[in-house]
């Protein structure tokens, strides 16, 4: 199949700003995690970039296009549990935007990044630094675990749905939902 045929058989889902925010957050979290105590100035700047990305994403989740809006993909607990059950049975329902598991993960990741940044600011400020540092480190490891679950979910969903979701987050295009 040619690239032109693949484009004809896909639909535009993710807007450019959403994709830039996604990869910017991934990059800033990676830089912050890798630098840690070794390059504190870079670490702090990466955290501030992550904060800016999350705040922008929250605004875009309210005012952006359809599939960027939280109202389009934040699931109820029942929707999320039903989706997880279908995944465990090896069933997949293709969603045009985020599926319920992905929607729940977006919220979890955004909240966890905010927690990591807030605890980092407390630790960096010096008031309650020891508690702030311990909390910051613990939340960073929880964030890393969530990222691992996110990547595993993307791989699993890609396989079950028969589409390349990482490529979709680069191109903005996905196979149409049934």
């Amino acid at each position: 199949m040619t690239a032109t045929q693949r484009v004809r058989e896909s639909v535009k889902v993710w807007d450019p700003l959403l994709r830039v925010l996604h990869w910017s957050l991934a990059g800033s979290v990676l830089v912050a995690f890798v630098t840690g105590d070794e390059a504190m100035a870079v670490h702090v700047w990466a955290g501030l970039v992550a904060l800016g990305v999350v705040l922008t994403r929250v605004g875009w989740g309210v005012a952006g296009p359809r599939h960027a809006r939280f109202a389009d993909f934040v699931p109820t607990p029942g929707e999320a549990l039903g989706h997880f059950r279908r995944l465990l049975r090896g069933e997949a329902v293709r969603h045009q935007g985020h599926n319920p598991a992905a929607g729940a993960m977006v919220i979890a990741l955004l909240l966890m990044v905010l927690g990591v940044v807030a605890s980092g600011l407390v630790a960096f400020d010096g008031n309650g630094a020891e508690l702030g540092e311990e909390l910051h480190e613990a939340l960073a490891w929880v964030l890393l675990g969530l990222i691992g679950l996110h990547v595993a979910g993307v791989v699993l969903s890609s396989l079950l749905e028969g589409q390349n979701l990482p490529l979709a987050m680069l191109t903005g295009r996905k196979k149409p939902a049934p």
Side-chain angles (χ1 to χ4, degrees):
M1 179 183 301
T2 68
T4 302
Q5 289 170 321
R6 278 192 300 276
V7 167
R8 281 191 202 124
E9 294 179 5
S10 66
V11 293
K12 191 80 168 163
V13 176
W14 310 123
D15 65 275
L17 180 58
L18 182 79
R19 297 188 325 258
V20 166
L21 292 172
H22 177 273
W23 295 112
S24 296
L25 186 57
S28 62
V29 167
L30 176 65
V31 168
F33 191 80
V34 169
T35 56
D37 292 335
E38 306 306 315
M40 190 53 71
V42 175
H43 182 80
V44 170
W45 275 106
L48 293 174
V49 167
L51 175 61
V53 170
V54 169
L55 294 177
T56 303
R57 178 63 183 98
V58 169
W60 204 235
V62 173
R66 176 182 172 203
H67 294 299
R69 290 183 186 214
F70 297 129
D72 184 64
F73 67 83
V74 174
T76 65
E79 290 169 334
L81 286 173
H83 185 77
F84 285 122
R85 283 189 200 108
R86 285 188 297 278
L87 286 177
L88 290 173
R89 291 191 305 259
E91 302 169 3
V93 175
R94 189 179 302 147
H95 292 76
Q96 204 56 65
H98 290 92
N99 66 43
M105 184 57 77
V106 167
I107 300 306
L109 287 167
L110 292 176
L111 289 173
M112 190 54 59
V113 169
L114 286 175
V116 171
V117 171
S119 62
L121 291 172
V122 168
F124 187 72
D125 180 43
N127 296 328
E130 186 176 328
L131 177 61
E133 285 179 30
E134 290 177 16
L135 180 61
H136 182 66
E137 187 173 327
L139 291 178
W141 283 107
V142 172
L143 176 60
L144 192 62
L146 286 175
I147 291 167
L149 288 173
H150 170 61
V151 170
V154 167
V155 169
L156 179 62
S157 292
S158 292
L159 292 171
L160 292 175
E161 295 176 16
Q163 64 180 331
N164 186 336
L165 292 174
L167 181 63
M169 194 49 78
L170 288 171
T171 66
R173 304 187 75 82
K174 289 177 68 178
K175 288 182 179 180

